[in-house]
């Protein structure tokens, strides 16, 4: 299925309506992803706001933040109506036991900018969620925030994590590794994940999202503490630019954290020293640039595979974030990213992710976050 030109908004509206659940959230896809995911819901809130449904936009943020614990930790999956699902895997019923990028900061701020009435308790929870990462999550010596698991980045099978897959990446084997990595997570008394000596990685993209979401919320609340924390992370990220590669690199024990991927350019959301070079990299057709948005992995990387999950295809939510970076910086690559996102969403029939040169859809189709194409 492809979506013809003028019908994109109509197709997105129909998909979102079909994916909406009475509990007050949108599933990414009814078959492949029948529960609530944290960063997906933040993107869904933006799509609902663009469609003019303020109520659902707010509900989506409220339900994803509802599982926040006393430290501010927000689990990345909520199993509404089915608390026993995967409870054995996570070691607890109802939710997962790790988080995802705190895009609720941006979603909250953007809703408010659009004139949506976001209740104070939702804003408060968003602030506490970002604070949890800033104050309770373990840091590296350089001061960057660690993730406890690859899934926390949202970029599940990125070649950035290949160092943790003995014998080289293979999808099924890496899934087992990801299961095992949960065992070494160190937790607060209430279960909030604080550190993982078995995966002590501070990804460039994740840190950029923590800092940017802190700034988005600081813009709403005037919180100077959040601003100062974002400035510290920005400075630490400046130190992780690799000029020879044209990318930011992860702070962590394995060289796979230097692979050139689209999400590693998310520090361009901040006023980082090298963001002009990052925008240039995004537009380079030999590397990431392309007619359907930025390839998830640079075409020159040995790991590049334009059809494989997180190894080369375009991801609409990453493209949207990079578009925000370029448009807020006034960089012309913003138009290319916007056109790519729309073209890919259409050609793929609103897929979860798509081929960077052909637009062929992969993964779940349709997937709610492809609806971001109507925002750019
Ligand atoms: C996949 C993605 C993750 C997303 C989830 C639901 O696991 O890698 O980022 O949140 O699907 O769409």
């Amino acid at each position: 299925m492809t979506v013809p030109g003028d019908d994109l908004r109509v197709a997105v509206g129909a998909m979102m309506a079909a994916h909406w659940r009475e509990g007050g959230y949108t599933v990414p896809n009814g078959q492949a992803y029948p529960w609530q995911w944290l960063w997906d819901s933040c993107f869904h809130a933006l799509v609902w706001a663009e469609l003019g449904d303020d109520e659902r936009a707010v509900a989506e943020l409220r339900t994803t933040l509802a599982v926040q614990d006393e430290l501010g930790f927000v689990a990345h999956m909520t199993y509404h109506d089915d608390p026993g699902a995967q409870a054995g895997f996570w070691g607890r019923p109802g939710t997962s036991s790790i988080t995802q990028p705190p895009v609720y900061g941006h979603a909250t701020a953007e809703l408010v900018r659009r004139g949506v009435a976001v209740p104070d308790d939702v804003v408060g929870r968003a602030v506490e969620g970002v604070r949890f990462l800033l104050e309770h999550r373990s840091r590296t010596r350089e001061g960057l925030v660690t993730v406890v698991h690859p899934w926390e980045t949202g970029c599940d099978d990125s070649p950035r994590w290949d160092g943790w897959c003995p014998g080289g990446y293979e999808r099924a084997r890496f899934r087992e590794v990801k299961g095992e990595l949960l065992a070494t997570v160190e937790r607060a008394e209430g279960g909030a994940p604080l550190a993982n000596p078995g995966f002590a990685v501070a990804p460039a993209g994740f840190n950029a999202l923590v800092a940017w979401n802190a700034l988005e919320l600081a813009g709403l609340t005037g919180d100077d503490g959040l601003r100062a924390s974002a400035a510290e992370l920005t400075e630490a990220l400046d130190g992780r630019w690799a000029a020879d590669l044209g990318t930011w690199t992860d702070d962590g024990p394995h060289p796979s954290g230097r692979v050139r991927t689209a999400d590693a350019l998310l520090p361009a959301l901040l006023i980082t020293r090298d963001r002009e070079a990052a925008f240039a990299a995004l537009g380079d057709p030999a590397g990431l640039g392309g007619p359907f948005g930025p390839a998830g992995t640079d075409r020159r990387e040995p790991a590049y595979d334009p059809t494989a999950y997180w190894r080369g295809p375009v991801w609409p939510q990453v493209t949207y974030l990079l578009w925000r970076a370029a448009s807020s910086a006034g960089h012309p690559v913003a138009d290319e990213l916007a056109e790519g996102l729309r073209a890919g969403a259409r050609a793929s029939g609103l897929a979860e992710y798509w081929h960077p040169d052909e637009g062929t859809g992969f993964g779940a189709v349709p997937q709610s976050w492809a609806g971001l194409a109507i925002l750019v």
Side-chain angles (χ1 to χ4, degrees), residues 269-297:
L269 283 162
L270 307 163
I271 304 180
T272 31
R273 204 181 43 215
D274 295 290
R275 69 173 173 171
E276 285 296 316
F279 293 134
L282 271 176
D284 179 1
L288 295 167
F292 297 100
T297 300

Side-chain angles (χ1 to χ4, degrees), residues 38-39 42 100-106 129-130 133 206 209-210 213 217:
L38 191 165
W39 78 328
C42 301
Q100 256 185 344
V103 185
Y104 39 76
H106 166 61
V130 173
L133 292 167
F206 188 86
L209 289 174
V210 172
N213 282 282
L217 289 166

Side-chain angles (χ1 to χ4, degrees), residues 20 45 47-59 116:
W20 176 254
V47 178
W48 281 121
E50 175 64 28
L51 289 169
D53 196 327
D54 295 6
E55 221 174 284
R56 287 186 179 183
V58 170
V116 177

Side-chain angles (χ1 to χ4, degrees), residues 324-339:
R324 293 262 6 159
S327 57
S328 70
H331 195 282
V333 81
D335 294 339
E336 222 175 283
L337 292 169
E339 269 163 41

Side-chain angles (χ1 to χ4, degrees), residues 104-121:
Y104 39 76
H106 166 61
T108 303
E110 180 62 19
L111 260 48
V112 171
R113 283 192 289 266
R114 285 167 173 261
V116 177
V118 182
D120 288 349
D121 65 303

